[in-house]
Amino acid sequence: MDEHTIEQLDWMVAGAFAVFHSYEEENGDEHTKFIGIFSTKESAEAAVGVLKKMQGFADYPLGFQ
């Protein structure tokens, strides 16, 4: 996973990592899902690792931020 995939948000408490999943359909519709807030980058990446194999995420595995 790219080190810039999961980024710490400046407005959050230090050490918290927010994960979102976004993608754009061929017709131009955009979708964003808030996944959650994690206390470590490692736990955020672990969640992404599980979710990107699941229905609803697998078609857009690079959509995690």
Side-chain angles (χ1 to χ4, degrees):
M1 179 175 298
D2 183 350
E3 68 181 15
H4 299 292
T5 302
I6 306 297
E7 295 183 20
Q8 186 172 5
L9 298 178
D10 292 336
W11 57 268
M12 303 228 18
V13 176
F17 294 83
V19 177
F20 296 84
H21 184 261
S22 302
Y23 65 94
E24 184 175 339
E25 294 184 56
E26 290 181 23
N27 65 7
D29 288 347
E30 295 181 16
H31 303 273
T32 300
K33 295 178 181 117
F34 173 69
I35 304 304
I37 298 174
F38 299 85
S39 60
T40 66
K41 183 175 181 177
E42 292 77 16
S43 62
E45 290 175 339
V48 169
V50 170
L51 289 171
K52 70 181 182 180
K53 299 173 188 173
M54 298 179 73
Q55 183 178 3
F57 300 102
D59 292 338
Y60 303 94
L62 300 179
F64 289 97
Q65 304 173 15

